[in-house]
Amino acid sequence: MANVKFEQVTKSYGKVQAIQPVSFEVKDKEFMVLVGPSGCGKSTLLRMIAGLEDITSGKISIDNTIVNDLSPKDRDISIVFQNYALYPHMTAYDNMAFGLKIRGLKKAEIKEKVMAAAKVLDIEDLLDRKPKAMSGGQRQRIAIGRAIVRNPKVFLFDEPLSNLDAQLRGQMRLEIASLHKRLEATMVYVTHDQVEAMTLGDRIIVLNKGVIQQIDTPQNLYNHPANKFVAGFIGSPTMNFIEGKVVDDNGIASFISNDGVIRIEVKDKIRDLEHTEVILGIRPEHIYSLPTNIDAPVKFTTTVKWTELLGHDGFAFFEINGVQISARLVAEELLNPPFERELYIDREKIHFFDKVSGVAIG
Amino acid sequence: MVRKIKKIGFYALLLLAALSFLYPFYWMILASLTPEQNIGTLGIVPQGITFEHYTGMIEKIPIWSALFNSVFVATLSTFGVIVFGSMTGYALAKMRFKGRNLLFYTIIFTMTLPFQITLIPNYILMVNFHWVDTLAALVVPSLNSAFAILLFRQAFMTIPDDLIHAAKVDGCGDLRIIFQILWPNIIPSIITVGILTFMTSWNDVLWPLIVIREEGLMTMPQLVTLFAVGGRSEAQLGVKLASAVLLALPIIIAYLFLQKYFIQSMASSGIKS
Ligand SMILES: Nc1ncnc2c1ncn2[C@@H]1O[C@H](COP(=O)(O)OP(=O)(O)OP(=O)(O)O)[C@@H](O)[C@H]1O
Ligand SMILES: [Mg+2]
C-alpha cells in the first residue's frame, strides 16, 4: 500500500489546458474522493495516476517513486470504470484471472486469489457467466473483483456506481466503504455524486475547470467551504446565496441584503469590510421556523410562494433580492402556500464570500 | 386468397431468378463430365459421364502446382491483410498521434485510384526488388489493404476506450490488446475481410499475368486463363470447363461454409459509422 503524490502536474489537450498545475498528496490507506461538475477534469486526473494519459508537466509519484514514465502495468494500480469495461468474450472468472495470467502466476495461485475475491464480493455463483448474461450491479461487482485480485498499491474508481439504480448505488456504496476498511488500501474515487463523496471520503478534492478548489474532510468542506463554488457544490440541496452590503446599521456593523429584508449583525473580519458588497451563504437546513434551539437567531419576514413536501419534512421557497431561496422545514409548516411568515437564520451558520472572487471571508 | 396467389407468384419469380443463376454452374459442371462430342448438344439431362477432361487437364498443365500456388498466395495475403489491417486500423482508431487523420484520409484516397494507374509503378518496383517470377511479387504487395484498414478502423471505433484502458492496466501491450482483447469482439469484421481478401486474391488474373511467367509459379486463374484463352487446350471445350470447375470449387466450398457471414458482409459492406 502506498501514497500518491502530485507535484505541479498539468495536462493540455492541444491548446486546451484541462488541468491547471495541481499538487496534492493522497496518504497511505486514505480514501480520497475527487468531485466536481462534468468536464472539470476528474477522469483526466485519475487516468494520469493510472498512466493511461500522459502528463504535460509536473511529477506524479506512487509509493514515493516517480511514475511519470512508467506504463500502466508497471504502476501497480487497478481501476474500476463507470461502464465496467469487462472483456465481453470472457467469463467472469477469466475477467478476474486475466491480469494474473499475464503476470505469469500459476494456475492454482490464480484460482485461489479469484475465489477469495469472489467470496468477498459474493459473486461465486456468477463466475461462469459472461458479462452479457449479468445485470449492471453484478457486472460492477466483477469489475471490482478484477481490481482487487491483484492486490495493487492503489485502487482507482471512475464513477463506478453512476450506471446503477439508486437503491443498488446505496448498497454498493456501503460495500465499497467496507472493502476499503477490510483491504486497508489507498483509494482514489471519482464521482459527481456528492452523497457518495461525503459518505465515502476520508478527504475530498473539489475540482472545477481543472483547478483544485479545496482539499479537506467532508465535515470541513461542509462547515468551512473555502469559496462560493465549494459552498454551492457540497451540500444538497445547494446553499442559498444572498447579495448585500456590510454597513453601519445604527452603530452596529451589519450585513443588509440588497432588498433590506435580511439584517444580520456581523463580527470579526467582516466588520472591516464596511461598504463593500459581499455574498451571504446560508444552507436551507439552517433556516428555521422557530427561534428555539438556535444560539443566535436572526428574524426576517417573507412570503413563502410554494412548497415541496418530502414526507417528514420539505422545502419552502421564497424570494430575497428577487432570487429564489429555499428553507428546509418540517412538513406541518409547509401546508397551503402562499403564506406570510417569520423565519429565523442561525447567525452561527452563515458564510460570507467576496462578491468578485468568491473567496470565503472570515 | 389474393395474398396467397401473390406469394406464389413472388416465389415463382425468385425461383426463376435463382435457376437462371444456377443453370450456368450446373451446365459447366455437367459439361466438364460429359464426353467432348456430346457437349454441343448438352441440355439439362446428362449425356454420359467421363473424367477424361480432368485427366487430360492434369496431363497438359501443371494444375496441382497452380492450385498450391493459389492457395499459398491467397492464404498468406488473407492472413497478412487480417493481421496488418487490424494493426493499422487499431492505430488509426485508438492511438493518438500527429497526422493521424491525414494518414487515414490518404489511405482512403488510395482506394479511389484504379488499379490500372498503379499497375506500372508497382511492376517497376517488383523489377527493382528482383521479385519478378517469384511468389513474393504475388504475396507481399497484397499483405495489407486500404479496404481492410477502413473496415477494421470502423470496427475498433465502436469499442469503448475503457476496455482498452482496462487491458492496459491488466498488463497488455498493444499487440495483445489487438489480438487477445479486440479480435474476439470483432469476429464478423474479421471474417468479412477474410472472405473478400481471399476471393480477390483467388480471382486475380491481371497482376499474376504481369509478374509471373514461369509456369510452375502461376496461380490457378492465371494458368486456366492462359490454358483456355491461350490455346494450350487445343480447343477442347471439356478440358477448359474442367479447369474452370476447379477454379470455382474452392470459392463455392468456402461460400457454403461461410454463407451467413458472406451475406452479412455483402449487405453491410462492413461500413457503419
Ligand atoms: N482526448 C481528449 N481530447 C481533448 N480534450 C479532452 C480529451 N479528454 C478530455 N478532454 C477535455 O478535458 C476536460 C476534462 O475531461 P474529463 O473527462 O477529465 O472530465 P470529467 O471531470 O471526468 O467529466 P465527467 O464528469 O463528464 O466524466 C474536458 O473539458 C474534456 O473536454
Ligand atoms: Mg469522467
Side-chain angles (χ1 to χ4, degrees), chain B residues 121 164 243:
Chain B
I164 292 164
S243 59

Side-chain angles (χ1 to χ4, degrees), chain B residues 75-92:
Chain B
T75 307
L76 224 59
S77 58
T78 303
F79 184 75
V81 165
I82 292 176
V83 170
F84 299 124
S86 52
M87 283 164 74
T88 323
Y90 172 78
L92 291 172

Side-chain angles (χ1 to χ4, degrees), chain A residues 147-168:
Chain A
I148 65 178
V149 284
R150 283 215 324 272
N151 195 25
K153 281 183 184 153
V154 181
F155 287 90
L156 307 173
F157 296 86
D158 194 350
E159 309 205 23
L161 307 184
S162 46
N163 281 5
L164 307 179
D165 65 52
Q167 195 186 347
L168 200 54

Side-chain angles (χ1 to χ4, degrees), chain A residues 242-243 256-262 319-322:
Chain A
I242 300 167
E243 294 192 4
I256 300 186
S257 63
N258 287 345
D259 62 1
V261 170
I262 307 246
E319 283 183 358
I320 292 176
N321 296 339

